[in-house]
């Protein structure tokens, strides 16, 4: 059965790290579609620098370049903090048997034990982890997560298609050394920083950022 696969994030702004990682993982798993799920109010960080409307507009421009990527707007419409477990519960109610795949970068995976009702995530979805430069995947996992890793890790993706939830799988895709924090910091530096981010995100997204004067103040001044 074709799983529903998700990449949640702040996408502040969306960049090729997200897009290539999501699309490469989608291809590696043989999925027709992967959904990008922007968070309205992400629990683990200060508020996003750009508005919901701007982040969504940038995502739409970016997704147009990747036919296999769709946007799921449910967290933008839901009041309260954008907890992933609530999104997975909604999807599970919509289809009790279909496998759900939650993609996370290695940095987000390490932080999983700080997520709201994190252990319940494994009852709702499979977790697909991808490498991110600078973050060792298996080393230094916090102990409760290391125990889940030992218990749930599968080396072959078959279970992602045959069972609804419960395993952890490492998808082997090329790491992308791009982060939204670095992009925001560069953009706040002015023209030199603007030149440095060319190629890190779709041209249409950069044009949108220019037109709407986004990320022009230093991150710590917002
Ligand atoms: P920030 O720098 O603001 O924290 P970010 O670039 O990490 O932003 P998020 O929107 O917070 O982007 O990330 C959403 C998800 O995408 C997370 O699971 C994160 O690990 C993953 N991700 C983001 N960038 C990459 C990348 N370059 N390679 C792999 N995973 C990534």
């Amino acid at each position: 059965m074709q799983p529903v696969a998700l990449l949640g994030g702040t996408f502040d702004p969306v960049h090729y790290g997200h897009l290539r990682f999501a699309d490469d993982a989608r291809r590696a798993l043989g999925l027709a579609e992967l959904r990008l799920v922007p968070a309205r109010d992400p629990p683990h960080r200060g508020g996003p620098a750009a508005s919901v409307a701007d982040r969504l507009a940038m995502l739409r421009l970016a997704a147009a370049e990747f036919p296999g990527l769709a946007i799921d707007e449910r967290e933008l419409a839901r009041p309260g903090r954008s907890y992933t477990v609530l999104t997975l519960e909604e999807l599970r109610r919509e289809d009790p048997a279909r496998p759900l795949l939650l993609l996370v970068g290695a940095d987000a995976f390490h932080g999983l034990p700080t997520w709201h009702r994190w252990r319940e995530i494994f009852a709702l979805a499979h977790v697909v982890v991808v490498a991110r430069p600078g973050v060792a995947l298996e080393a230094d996992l916090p102990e409760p997560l290391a125990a889940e890793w030992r218990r749930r890790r599968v080396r072959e993706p078959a279970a992602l298609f045959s069972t609804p939830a419960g395993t952890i799988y490492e998808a082997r895709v090329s790491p992308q050394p791009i982060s939204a924090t670095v992009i925001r910091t560069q953009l706040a530096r002015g023209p030199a920083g603007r030149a440095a981010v060319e190629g890190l995100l779709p041209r249409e997204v950069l044009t949108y950022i220019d037109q709407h004067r986004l990320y022009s103040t230093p991150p710590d001044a917002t």
Side-chain angles (χ1 to χ4, degrees):
M1 193 185 293
Q2 270 281 313
V4 172
L6 313 170
L7 172 65
T10 312
F11 304 111
D12 188 22
V14 63
H15 53 68
Y16 280 129
H18 303 120
L19 296 162
R20 295 206 182 108
F21 139 53
D23 206 46
D24 289 355
R26 179 188 70 75
R27 280 169 211 267
L29 294 169
L31 304 174
E33 181 187 275
L34 186 140
R35 301 185 195 178
L36 305 174
V37 188
R40 191 180 68 85
D41 183 6
H44 295 291
R45 47 196 297 154
S51 68
V52 162
D54 285 332
R55 290 185 292 123
L56 181 58
M58 291 188 281
L59 260 185
R60 287 187 176 140
L61 291 168
E65 204 181 295
F66 292 83
L69 301 183
I71 303 170
D72 186 322
E73 298 179 27
R74 70 183 64 228
E75 289 189 0
L76 301 180
R78 199 171 66 214
R81 306 223 92 169
S82 301
Y83 293 121
T84 299
V85 70
L86 302 180
T87 304
L88 296 174
E89 281 178 334
E90 278 180 31
L91 288 161
R92 182 52 70 216
R93 277 196 293 275
E94 287 170 18
D95 193 334
R98 188 177 297 278
L100 289 177
L101 311 186
L102 178 68
L103 261 78
V104 287
D107 58 320
F109 183 65
H110 275 247
L112 205 62
T114 66
W115 291 21
H116 186 52
R117 296 166 51 199
W118 73 279
R119 289 179 192 277
E120 292 172 53
I121 287 175
F122 296 112
L124 293 161
H126 298 285
V127 176
V128 177
V129 195
V130 300
R132 197 162 177 186
V135 187
L137 181 53
E138 209 176 332
D140 306 325
L141 284 179
E143 187 39 44
L145 185 58
E148 298 292 352
W149 171 268
R150 288 190 295 269
R151 198 151 72 89
R152 300 181 179 277
R153 195 221 176 157
V154 291
R155 288 176 191 277
E156 297 299 327
L160 306 180
F161 298 86
S162 60
T163 60
T167 72
I168 302 173
Y169 176 70
E170 182 186 357
R172 305 250 173 219
V173 300
S174 306
Q176 302 285 336
I178 306 176
S179 94
T181 304
V182 169
I183 291 173
R184 289 194 302 273
T185 305
Q186 289 286 14
L187 288 171
R189 287 178 53 225
R194 165 72 175 67
V197 304
E198 295 249 2
L200 302 184
L201 63 180
R203 183 177 299 278
E204 293 75 12
V205 174
L206 207 42
T207 303
Y208 185 96
I209 288 171
D210 292 340
Q211 285 169 345
H212 294 80
R213 296 189 168 72
L214 303 181
Y215 310 116
S216 53
T217 32
D220 50 2
T222 54

